[in-house]
Amino acid sequence: MFGSAFGGPGPLLLLLLALGIDALFGDWLDRILPDPAGLARRFCNAADARLNRAERGATAQVFRGALVVLALLVIAVAAGLAVEWVGSIGRGWMLELLALLCGLRGRAAWTRVRAVRRALESGGVVPGQEAIQSLTRRHVYGLDEHGIARAAVEAAARAFDRKLVAPVFGYALLGVPGLFVWTVMDGADAALGSPGVRHGRFGSTAATLDDALNALPARLAGLLLALAAPFIGTANAGSAFRTLRSDARKHPSLNMGWPIAAMAGALGLALGGPHRDGGVVISESWIGDGRARVTSADIGRALALSAVAALLLVGLVALLLWGMVGI
């Protein structure tokens, strides 16, 4: 509703306000507000160094990793409930708005992808490799200009889901505890969820729970990206929906294939595909049947598509608010 029983804005109105503030000032806020996902990532890295021992058995590794995730979830839920309790008192809704701004990182993630485009255009491959390093799990120094651009377009699709749609979904469904649960699991998955010998067992709980929590938001993100295509002159909504249907399940992740397939189809690109990790070729399926030689201009198109999709997300929240007011 527009207002709570205590005189402050209702949750959906707070969410709309937070989305607007993030869109306008998210870059600046990213530098001064704590990032729950980043804090969770550091917590998991410390726990990994202390608890994850190769000599321990498989069951012990899984159990210890599960305990780390459980501790994070308890902290997230307790912190979320505390924020909501304070938010119910006087002007405490401002604290809830601050919590939302900590969890929403859509503009900051969008800007990091834009930095990759600028690095490619101004300096070429080496600056592009440095700019993309924090946005992909690929071995960046084996990427050429097209590989960097392809990774950046994929990063734009992932960021739209993980830094905007998923936290909005968590908050709309379960309030601040839902927002914090998603953000800490985003950080836990970044720290422990990558496949491999070290985290295959210790990080299995983090990866599995992240997949479960992101199942619906990832599909919603793919739908919004496809629906945004008609507003971008060089994008194609029909191709986006066809690629969603045919290729979304080809991605190694259970969920990331949805926004990446929508992005690939809408922009007429082929994303994913095989890549090198040192001297080893990692075989991954292509997503989309378009052009694999992605350029910096395509990064700009991907950013435009995600910006329009973000506006559609705001419209969806506004529609929910209007529906609540009408009840």
Side-chain angles (χ1 to χ4, degrees):
M1 287 196 225
F2 282 110
S4 70
F6 297 89
L12 290 178
L13 190 56
L14 272 180
L15 181 54
L16 279 177
L17 181 59
L19 285 167
I21 293 173
D22 177 66
L24 293 173
F25 307 111
D27 295 346
W28 178 71
L29 293 173
D30 185 56
R31 296 192 292 269
I32 64 172
L33 291 179
D35 179 7
L39 294 173
R41 186 164 57 249
R42 289 197 287 273
F43 177 88
C44 288
N45 285 335
D48 180 38
R50 185 174 181 85
L51 300 176
N52 189 11
R53 296 285 185 268
E55 64 271 16
R56 296 189 180 277
T59 301
Q61 287 180 317
V62 172
F63 179 71
R64 285 175 169 233
L67 284 181
V68 172
V69 172
L70 178 61
L72 271 177
L73 292 177
V74 170
I75 293 170
V77 171
L81 290 173
V83 168
E84 288 196 338
W85 178 75
V86 174
S88 67
I89 303 172
R91 296 187 180 274
W93 61 267
M94 294 181 183
L95 180 61
E96 187 164 338
L97 176 62
L98 192 64
L100 270 165
L101 294 173
C102 288
L104 295 173
R105 300 279 167 161
R107 177 56 187 259
W110 188 91
T111 302
R112 291 188 183 100
V113 176
R114 184 181 62 180
V116 179
R117 180 189 184 185
R118 291 179 172 178
L120 278 174
E121 292 178 343
S122 63
V125 172
V126 174
Q129 290 171 338
E130 294 172 355
I132 195 62
Q133 190 164 21
S134 64
L135 302 179
T136 182
R137 288 177 175 174
R138 295 182 181 179
H139 184 73
V140 299
Y141 297 109
L143 298 177
D144 62 7
E145 178 183 353
H146 302 298
I148 294 167
R150 194 160 56 245
V153 172
E154 293 168 9
R158 283 196 306 271
F160 175 64
D161 168 36
R162 301 188 70 88
K163 301 301 182 181
L164 199 59
V165 176
V168 165
F169 187 88
Y171 177 77
L173 192 66
L174 296 172
V176 182
L179 172 72
F180 283 172
V181 163
W182 166 255
T183 52
V184 300
M185 286 312 304
D186 184 28
D189 182 67
L192 306 176
S194 57
V197 175
R198 179 166 184 83
H199 293 141
R201 296 190 179 100
F202 188 79
S204 60
T205 301
T208 301
L209 186 55
D210 179 86
D211 285 340
L213 291 174
N214 197 29
L216 292 178
R219 287 154 177 79
L220 176 59
L223 176 62
L224 290 171
L225 287 167
L227 291 173
F231 300 96
I232 305 298
T234 57
N236 187 301
S239 178
F241 282 110
R242 286 193 298 272
T243 307
L244 275 172
R245 185 173 60 251
S246 63
D247 291 0
R249 294 179 177 84
K250 292 181 180 179
H251 195 275
S253 165
L254 290 177
N255 297 317
M256 283 301 98
W258 294 89
I260 289 174
M263 186 75 80
L267 301 181
L269 302 175
L271 302 176
H275 55 92
R276 289 187 176 274
D277 189 349
V280 180
V281 176
I282 307 298
S283 296
E284 291 184 10
S285 299
W286 289 103
I287 297 177
D289 57 3
R291 175 170 42 86
R293 295 174 68 84
V294 182
T295 67
S296 61
D298 294 314
I299 301 176
R301 296 167 65 217
L303 291 171
L305 186 69
S306 60
V308 174
L311 288 175
L312 294 179
L313 178 64
V314 171
L316 180 60
V317 174
L319 187 63
L320 289 173
L321 176 61
W322 179 78
M324 290 292 292
V325 172
I327 293 177

